mmCIF file of all heavy atoms in Angstrom:
data_model
loop_
_atom_site.group_PDB
_atom_site.id
_atom_site.type_symbol
_atom_site.label_atom_id
_atom_site.label_comp_id
_atom_site.label_asym_id
_atom_site.label_seq_id
_atom_site.Cartn_x
_atom_site.Cartn_y
_atom_site.Cartn_z
ATOM 1 N N THR A 8 -21.448 94.142 140.053
ATOM 2 C CA THR A 8 -22.564 94.152 140.975
ATOM 3 C C THR A 8 -23.631 95.121 140.407
ATOM 4 O O THR A 8 -23.372 95.958 139.592
ATOM 5 C CB THR A 8 -22.121 94.610 142.351
ATOM 6 O OG1 THR A 8 -21.733 96.010 142.299
ATOM 7 C CG2 THR A 8 -20.982 93.788 142.892
ATOM 8 N N VAL A 47 -25.410 91.423 120.031
ATOM 9 C CA VAL A 47 -26.298 92.597 119.982
ATOM 10 C C VAL A 47 -26.522 93.042 118.525
ATOM 11 O O VAL A 47 -25.528 93.137 117.746
ATOM 12 C CB VAL A 47 -25.723 93.759 120.797
ATOM 13 C CG1 VAL A 47 -26.648 94.989 120.720
ATOM 14 C CG2 VAL A 47 -25.543 93.349 122.256
ATOM 15 N N LEU A 62 -32.084 98.004 120.604
ATOM 16 C CA LEU A 62 -30.943 97.130 120.712
ATOM 17 C C LEU A 62 -31.406 95.772 121.218
ATOM 18 O O LEU A 62 -31.963 95.665 122.318
ATOM 19 C CB LEU A 62 -29.906 97.732 121.642
ATOM 20 C CG LEU A 62 -29.400 99.137 121.200
ATOM 21 C CD1 LEU A 62 -28.563 99.765 122.331
ATOM 22 C CD2 LEU A 62 -28.605 99.043 119.915
ATOM 23 N N LYS A 71 -38.222 82.236 124.295
ATOM 24 C CA LYS A 71 -39.458 81.908 125.060
ATOM 25 C C LYS A 71 -39.712 82.993 126.084
ATOM 26 O O LYS A 71 -40.823 83.184 126.596
ATOM 27 C CB LYS A 71 -39.268 80.604 125.788
ATOM 28 C CG LYS A 71 -39.238 79.365 124.860
ATOM 29 C CD LYS A 71 -39.159 78.118 125.667
ATOM 30 C CE LYS A 71 -39.098 76.838 124.789
ATOM 31 N NZ LYS A 71 -38.989 75.586 125.600
ATOM 32 N N PRO A 77 -37.134 100.319 128.443
ATOM 33 C CA PRO A 77 -36.787 101.493 127.701
ATOM 34 C C PRO A 77 -35.344 101.883 128.011
ATOM 35 O O PRO A 77 -34.884 101.739 129.147
ATOM 36 C CB PRO A 77 -37.773 102.545 128.289
ATOM 37 C CG PRO A 77 -38.661 101.839 129.167
ATOM 38 C CD PRO A 77 -37.976 100.554 129.580
ATOM 39 N N LYS A 89 -45.050 113.662 137.982
ATOM 40 C CA LYS A 89 -45.538 112.331 138.375
ATOM 41 C C LYS A 89 -45.641 111.510 137.102
ATOM 42 O O LYS A 89 -46.007 111.968 136.043
ATOM 43 C CB LYS A 89 -46.946 112.489 139.041
ATOM 44 C CG LYS A 89 -46.910 113.129 140.401
ATOM 45 C CD LYS A 89 -48.266 113.195 141.050
ATOM 46 C CE LYS A 89 -48.220 113.801 142.465
ATOM 47 N NZ LYS A 89 -49.569 113.839 143.072
ATOM 48 N N CYS A 110 -44.474 127.593 127.828
ATOM 49 C CA CYS A 110 -44.976 128.650 126.871
ATOM 50 C C CYS A 110 -45.267 129.939 127.590
ATOM 51 O O CYS A 110 -44.951 131.048 127.069
ATOM 52 C CB CYS A 110 -46.270 128.126 126.183
ATOM 53 S SG CYS A 110 -46.033 126.840 125.007
ATOM 54 N N ALA A 169 -30.009 98.919 134.227
ATOM 55 C CA ALA A 169 -28.990 98.214 135.016
ATOM 56 C C ALA A 169 -29.429 96.841 135.438
ATOM 57 O O ALA A 169 -28.645 95.879 135.377
ATOM 58 C CB ALA A 169 -28.690 99.068 136.245
ATOM 59 N N VAL A 206 -41.567 89.990 118.239
ATOM 60 C CA VAL A 206 -41.635 89.104 119.417
ATOM 61 C C VAL A 206 -42.502 87.854 119.072
ATOM 62 O O VAL A 206 -43.602 88.002 118.537
ATOM 63 C CB VAL A 206 -42.253 89.845 120.598
ATOM 64 C CG1 VAL A 206 -42.577 88.868 121.727
ATOM 65 C CG2 VAL A 206 -41.309 90.893 121.108
ATOM 66 N N GLU A 230 -55.236 88.497 131.732
ATOM 67 C CA GLU A 230 -55.744 87.190 132.211
ATOM 68 C C GLU A 230 -54.855 86.073 131.724
ATOM 69 O O GLU A 230 -54.764 85.032 132.414
ATOM 70 C CB GLU A 230 -57.173 86.990 131.728
ATOM 71 C CG GLU A 230 -57.890 85.770 132.345
ATOM 72 C CD GLU A 230 -58.097 85.936 133.814
ATOM 73 O OE1 GLU A 230 -58.252 87.058 134.312
ATOM 74 O OE2 GLU A 230 -58.109 84.876 134.526
ATOM 75 N N ALA A 235 -48.650 82.784 135.873
ATOM 76 C CA ALA A 235 -47.229 83.205 135.818
ATOM 77 C C ALA A 235 -46.979 84.384 136.764
ATOM 78 O O ALA A 235 -45.937 84.433 137.450
ATOM 79 C CB ALA A 235 -46.828 83.558 134.388
ATOM 80 N N SER A 241 -44.601 85.051 144.111
ATOM 81 C CA SER A 241 -44.165 84.151 145.178
ATOM 82 C C SER A 241 -42.639 84.178 145.354
ATOM 83 O O SER A 241 -42.147 83.785 146.397
ATOM 84 C CB SER A 241 -44.650 82.728 144.863
ATOM 85 O OG SER A 241 -43.932 82.213 143.740
ATOM 86 N N TYR A 249 -48.481 94.292 144.569
ATOM 87 C CA TYR A 249 -49.805 94.486 144.141
ATOM 88 C C TYR A 249 -49.983 93.749 142.805
ATOM 89 O O TYR A 249 -49.401 94.136 141.776
ATOM 90 C CB TYR A 249 -50.135 95.976 143.948
ATOM 91 C CG TYR A 249 -50.258 96.751 145.240
ATOM 92 C CD1 TYR A 249 -49.139 97.347 145.813
ATOM 93 C CD2 TYR A 249 -51.487 96.840 145.912
ATOM 94 C CE1 TYR A 249 -49.221 98.039 147.008
ATOM 95 C CE2 TYR A 249 -51.584 97.552 147.098
ATOM 96 C CZ TYR A 249 -50.453 98.107 147.653
ATOM 97 O OH TYR A 249 -50.549 98.805 148.826
ATOM 98 N N ARG A 260 -55.448 100.180 127.350
ATOM 99 C CA ARG A 260 -55.060 101.587 127.541
ATOM 100 C C ARG A 260 -53.593 101.747 127.866
ATOM 101 O O ARG A 260 -53.113 102.869 127.942
ATOM 102 C CB ARG A 260 -55.914 102.196 128.699
ATOM 103 C CG ARG A 260 -55.412 101.833 130.076
ATOM 104 C CD ARG A 260 -56.238 102.479 131.174
ATOM 105 N NE ARG A 260 -55.678 102.265 132.500
ATOM 106 C CZ ARG A 260 -56.206 102.678 133.633
ATOM 107 N NH1 ARG A 260 -57.321 103.330 133.602
ATOM 108 N NH2 ARG A 260 -55.601 102.482 134.775
ATOM 109 N N GLY A 269 -47.632 89.642 128.134
ATOM 110 C CA GLY A 269 -46.652 90.460 128.866
ATOM 111 C C GLY A 269 -47.030 90.657 130.332
ATOM 112 O O GLY A 269 -48.183 90.556 130.759
ATOM 113 N N GLU A 278 -52.010 106.135 144.711
ATOM 114 C CA GLU A 278 -52.573 107.482 144.992
ATOM 115 C C GLU A 278 -53.925 107.576 144.277
ATOM 116 O O GLU A 278 -53.958 107.561 143.064
ATOM 117 C CB GLU A 278 -51.638 108.579 144.505
ATOM 118 C CG GLU A 278 -52.140 109.975 144.737
ATOM 119 C CD GLU A 278 -51.209 111.029 144.140
ATOM 120 O OE1 GLU A 278 -50.312 111.454 144.871
ATOM 121 O OE2 GLU A 278 -51.415 111.420 142.962
ATOM 122 N N GLU A 304 -34.103 91.550 141.195
ATOM 123 C CA GLU A 304 -33.266 90.957 140.118
ATOM 124 C C GLU A 304 -33.118 89.472 140.273
ATOM 125 O O GLU A 304 -33.201 88.744 139.275
ATOM 126 C CB GLU A 304 -31.900 91.690 140.120
ATOM 127 C CG GLU A 304 -31.015 91.371 138.916
ATOM 128 C CD GLU A 304 -30.201 90.090 139.081
ATOM 129 O OE1 GLU A 304 -29.897 89.748 140.226
ATOM 130 O OE2 GLU A 304 -29.911 89.430 138.033
#
Side-chain angles (χ1 to χ4, degrees):
T8 66
V47 178
L62 302 170
K71 292 183 180 180
K89 290 183 177 180
C110 289
V206 169
E230 189 64 30
S241 70
Y249 289 91
R260 79 179 188 182
E278 179 184 272
E304 190 276 330

